[in-house]
Amino acid sequence: MSLVVYLAAFVFGMTSVLLFRRPRRAVRNPLTVSTCVAIVLGALVFVCAAPATLSTVNELTGTPNFGAPLTYGMLSAYSCSVLVLLINWRGGSRERVRRRVRCVVAAYALLITAIVVLFLLADADTERLTDLDTYYAGTPFMREMILLYLLGHSVAMLVMCAVCVRWAREVDGPLRTGLRLILVGALLDLVGFQVTKYTAIVARWTGHDLDFLSTTLAPPMAALAALLCSAGYLLPSAVAQWLALGDHRRLAPLWCLVKSVSTAPKPPAGWWRLPRARLQWREVSIHDALLALAPYFDHRVRERVRDHALRAGRSPHEARLAAEAALLADAARRAAAREEPPRTAGTYRLHATEVSGTGGLVELAQALHRPAAGGSAPDGAAASSLPGSMTEPEEPHVA
């Protein structure tokens, strides 16, 4: 049983490491902090609940069952952190969020204090490592302590289920899938862990023996619930990193074209930098390069390619992208050759600079390798600048 519990703790802990990889930036985000605190406390609950840990704690303290209030207090702290996470996730005014967080922390601080006091008042001299909840189900003060920790955890899981159901209707994509995974994990915790605990305890009160529900069924159900919840926490971030990796690769042609004129500071070296960080730096650097190339924009090139694309049957948006790709390629050539800016240069905003996110830059990057229109290029000086034309230089090496 200890192996299963330790494995669940390891999964929970690794989730927090992945979410909290950049401490200086993460501590500024209450949502990230509360998420990582909840995950770390969840991992500590599993560590404390392992029979091997309980035996060691009891031996070191010299107090039979000292690991019980330690585990139950840690579980209550985890329940509190879950509610704090939900408060930060929902958002609102800073003062309102802080007030709610303080109320929740105060309530669970009283709960943890009550657990410790009840344990001190109880007569629990017989060490129980796996069946303490049922063995002491009828013992004064121990009975109340057990019910208190279960009720505190049940409240947190019920609130989490309600919030996940409501938010899953308002969002879509990976976030909705993540919420559904968290919901399944919370329901499994409620049914597979808490309901089995309640049932085994009530059975003891009525003179029946259903201890196997608490000792055999509940621990693996709690571990599986933790696995699903951690997957739900990670999924939106993992999908975002995957999408960022794709955009980073699709921006490579554009970056290879303009990187020689970019003056943006280079990022710190390191293979460990996640795709979103790499994409953010590449996006900033490309925008910086576009500003540097703006004086070299020859609008005769743009107008010629745009008109040619429209005559070839392309949509206005596709014609604009083809024209801007040719305009940018011509500007990069002029800048590399240290030519004087053309007399037709003027103020013009590329489509990629008018839209938020990386979508505009990705479209521009893809247009660089797309034929201007119908496989033929217009005559004139612009021909050598057209993406996909016969005179296009070798494809740049992707960094």
Side-chain angles (χ1 to χ4, degrees):
M1 181 181 296
S2 294
L3 179 60
V4 173
V5 177
Y6 285 142
L7 180 60
F10 174 76
V11 173
F12 243 29
M14 287 303 300
T15 304
S16 67
V17 170
L18 293 174
L19 290 174
F20 206 71
R21 351 175 14 264
R22 302 188 68 179
R24 292 185 180 180
R25 179 174 296 180
V27 294
R28 303 172 188 171
N29 188 341
L31 180 58
T32 303
V33 173
S34 57
T35 303
C36 291
V37 169
I39 294 174
V40 169
L41 288 175
L44 290 176
V45 169
F46 284 107
V47 171
C48 293
T53 303
L54 293 173
S55 177
T56 302
V57 169
N58 294 340
E59 183 179 354
L60 291 176
T61 60
T63 304
N65 301 312
F66 184 87
L70 175 64
T71 302
Y72 298 159
M74 196 67 68
L75 181 60
S76 299
Y78 167 69
S79 302
C80 176
S81 67
V82 167
L83 294 179
V84 171
L85 168 60
L86 295 176
I87 292 171
N88 283 308
W89 203 347
R90 182 173 184 178
S93 66
R94 181 174 299 181
E95 184 57 34
R96 185 179 182 182
V97 169
R98 287 179 177 176
R99 183 171 62 252
R100 290 183 174 180
V101 168
R102 285 195 295 265
C103 290
V104 170
V105 171
Y108 276 87
L110 290 175
L111 176 63
I112 294 172
T113 302
I115 288 174
V116 174
V117 172
L118 289 170
F119 176 77
L120 294 175
L121 295 175
D123 182 11
D125 295 334
T126 304
E127 183 182 59
R128 311 300 299 187
L129 300 180
T130 59
D131 63 345
L132 184 141
D133 289 346
T134 51
Y135 185 85
Y136 288 107
T139 303
F141 301 115
M142 286 293 287
R143 175 182 58 232
E144 288 76 10
M145 181 191 73
I146 294 168
L147 288 178
L148 271 181
Y149 97 80
L150 284 174
L151 288 172
H153 189 51
S154 297
V155 169
M157 291 299 103
L158 286 171
V159 172
M160 175 178 278
C161 289
V163 171
C164 288
V165 169
R166 184 170 64 251
W167 287 350
R169 298 171 182 171
E170 302 173 1
V171 297
D172 54 13
L175 182 55
R176 173 182 288 182
T177 305
L179 287 171
R180 287 177 175 174
L181 282 173
I182 296 173
L183 174 61
V184 173
L187 288 174
L188 188 60
D189 189 292
L190 280 168
V191 178
F193 175 74
Q194 296 173 47
V195 171
T196 55
K197 288 280 187 179
Y198 286 126
T199 303
I201 291 171
V202 172
R204 277 279 187 164
W205 292 347
T206 58
H208 298 83
D209 185 358
L210 295 178
D211 290 7
F212 75 94
L213 294 176
S214 176
T215 58
T216 304
L217 183 61
M221 291 298 100
L224 181 57
L227 179 62
L228 290 172
C229 287
S230 61
Y233 292 139
L234 271 181
L235 182 65
S237 177
V239 171
Q241 296 292 348
W242 178 259
L243 294 176
L245 178 62
D247 285 344
H248 185 271
R249 290 176 174 173
R250 283 189 287 271
L251 286 177
L254 178 57
W255 173 237
C256 289
L257 179 67
V258 304
K259 66 180 180 180
S260 60
V261 298
S262 177
T263 59
K266 294 184 178 180
W271 59 268
W272 46 264
R273 294 174 61 244
L274 291 178
R276 290 187 70 178
R278 295 175 182 270
L279 176 63
Q280 183 180 19
W281 176 83
R282 177 163 287 186
E283 182 182 1
V284 170
S285 300
I286 289 176
H287 278 292
D288 179 81
L290 295 180
L291 288 175
L293 290 175
Y296 293 94
F297 288 170
D298 189 343
H299 297 293
R300 293 174 302 179
V301 174
R302 178 179 60 84
E303 293 171 357
R304 187 178 301 140
V305 176
R306 181 198 61 197
D307 295 342
H308 184 78
L310 289 173
R311 288 195 301 269
R314 289 193 177 182
S315 67
H317 181 66
E318 291 176 337
R320 179 179 180 179
L321 286 176
E324 291 181 351
L327 175 71
L328 189 59
D330 180 73
R333 179 189 60 79
R334 291 176 182 272
R338 300 184 182 277
E339 298 181 6
E340 290 294 327
R343 295 181 180 180
T344 58
T347 58
Y348 177 77
R349 293 193 63 184
L350 297 171
H351 171 71
T353 63
E354 295 179 340
V355 295
S356 59
T358 58
L361 292 178
V362 169
E363 284 185 322
L364 182 58
Q366 299 305 301
L368 287 171
H369 288 306
R370 192 178 301 140
S376 61
D379 295 331
S384 61
S385 303
L386 288 179
S389 66
M390 295 293 292
T391 56
E392 183 181 6
E394 291 184 2
E395 181 178 345
H397 175 69
V398 177

